[in-house]
Amino acid sequence: MDDTIRQFQELIDRSNRIVFFTGAGISTESGIPDFRSPGGLWEQNRPIDFSEFVASADARKEAWRRKFAMDAVMTAARPNDGHNAIAALYQQGKVPAVITQNIDGLHQMSGVKEEDVVELHGNTTYAKCLDCHKKMSLEAVKKVFAKNETLPTCSVCGGIVKTATISFGQAMPVVEMRRAEKEAIECDLFIAIGSSLVVYPAAEIPVVARHHGAELVILNREATPLDPYATLTINREIGETLRYVTKL
Ligand code: NAD
Ligand code: ZN
């Protein structure tokens, strides 16, 4: 065990209210590529932003094509040591919430209750009408789309249907942002994991925690712009690091 891990361990042991904040990096060990690593999703595809999705049928078709191309990977993914270590601390009662930028549902699958996972960027395991918010299953969308790439529309209001994720340019979910800020303000230790911390406004949350007196730990393979704010930065692999400190 090196010094950094020992310091991390001590911070966890002496904190009573620990909030985790995760990004795509925690799910790479489950086989889901992140955005910005080599081989990540951005090397293959430029993201389609919200205004483009709404304005263009071609963009919507491309979005659904990509979605279904990734679906086998998403469906097969299971929580890894990183998710399980967080779930273990959660079960001990020290973790009131896990804030995540991920859309893969793996924290819930690892045993963190749905109401304690704060999804800042929504969820990709179902779809929703952009106007009346009626849910539509991916199965139903798939069936429609299979017929010559017909775009799904809402059965209630005829509105545009999109995965229940927040795209670039789309408004952040108000309730989730508020909860995230509240948890950041109230915690004594805030641990950011597997996020490049460049996507705003999500990346403001660790700064809020720090300004309200929490210790801030950043665990990520590479440096982030918020490193100067951190009590401790750990540039290591996520699964093995969390396994150590939670004694999994
Ligand atoms: P990002 O791709 O910008 O950053 C991921 C970071 O994790 C990188 O800095 C990378 O070096 C690090 N990383 C990857 N694997 C690691 C490992 N095993 N150990 C240590 N570090 C590792 O991701 P982001 O900051 O979450 O922002 C991207 C946005 O993309 C998010 O808003 C999210 O909504 C979305 N996204 C989600 C998923 C998912 O749900 N799993 C996947 C891709 C993208
Ligand atoms: Zn509708």
Side-chain angles (χ1 to χ4, degrees):
M1 216 204 277
D2 66 23
D3 242 22
T4 318
I5 300 282
R6 197 165 299 124
Q7 269 175 279
F8 189 21
Q9 176 83 70
E10 278 168 17
L11 282 168
I12 288 177
D13 289 347
R14 80 165 121 96
S15 304
N16 298 312
R17 211 178 161 91
I18 305 172
V19 168
F20 285 92
F21 175 92
T22 61
I26 198 169
S27 294
T28 56
E29 290 172 45
S30 296
I32 303 174
D34 63 12
F35 265 180
R36 294 177 180 78
S37 289
L41 295 174
W42 266 8
E43 273 187 3
Q44 298 152 32
N45 290 310
R46 182 186 60 87
I48 298 166
D49 75 28
F50 186 65
S51 57
E52 219 180 325
F53 184 91
V54 173
S56 149
D58 280 347
R60 290 201 286 285
K61 283 185 184 174
E62 176 59 15
W64 285 114
R65 256 179 243 131
R66 287 183 194 177
K67 167 65 195 154
F68 293 130
M70 267 298 287
D71 219 31
V73 171
M74 253 331 159
T75 315
R78 293 291 172 270
N80 63 54
D81 285 346
H83 299 102
N84 292 335
I86 292 174
L89 285 175
Y90 170 79
Q91 306 293 355
Q92 291 169 21
K94 276 191 163 200
V95 179
V98 178
I99 303 167
T100 188
Q101 300 173 82
N102 294 346
I103 54 177
D104 54 30
L106 291 181
H107 286 300
Q108 293 90 322
M109 212 186 278
S110 73
V112 181
K113 281 194 196 138
E114 195 127 328
E115 64 262 31
D116 294 327
V117 180
V118 185
E119 292 179 317
L120 296 181
H121 294 160
N123 191 300
T124 193
T125 62
Y126 62 96
K128 240 170 38 176
C129 168
L130 288 178
D131 294 328
C132 75
H133 307 298
K134 186 184 164 56
K135 284 190 181 182
M136 185 168 177
S137 75
L138 290 179
E139 280 315 301
V141 175
K142 215 177 209 168
K143 252 192 195 155
V144 174
F145 197 67
K147 288 179 203 138
N148 290 323
E149 300 198 324
T150 306
L151 286 167
T153 49
C154 175
S155 60
V156 177
C157 74
I160 292 177
V161 172
K162 180 180 171 291
T163 53
T165 50
I166 307 294
S167 299
F168 287 102
Q170 189 171 359
M172 293 294 281
V174 175
V175 172
E176 283 79 0
M177 274 305 276
R178 236 180 249 147
R179 170 92 186 271
E181 275 160 15
K182 174 182 171 289
E183 297 295 352
I185 289 168
E186 290 176 356
C187 71
D188 46 23
L189 175 60
F190 191 97
I191 307 177
I193 296 181
S195 174
S196 55
L197 299 175
V198 296
V199 178
Y200 278 80
E204 269 163 24
I205 308 291
V207 180
V208 170
R210 193 74 184 111
H211 282 162
H212 286 82
E215 306 282 2
L216 172 63
V217 175
I218 297 178
L219 166 58
N220 201 51
R221 188 184 284 149
E222 54 187 15
T224 81
L226 298 191
D227 288 2
Y229 290 92
T231 317
L232 182 67
T233 55
I234 310 170
N235 298 129
R236 295 175 59 135
E237 293 301 294
I238 294 163
E240 57 169 35
T241 307
L242 288 183
R243 213 164 44 227
Y244 274 131
V245 290
T246 57
K247 306 171 192 83
L248 265 193

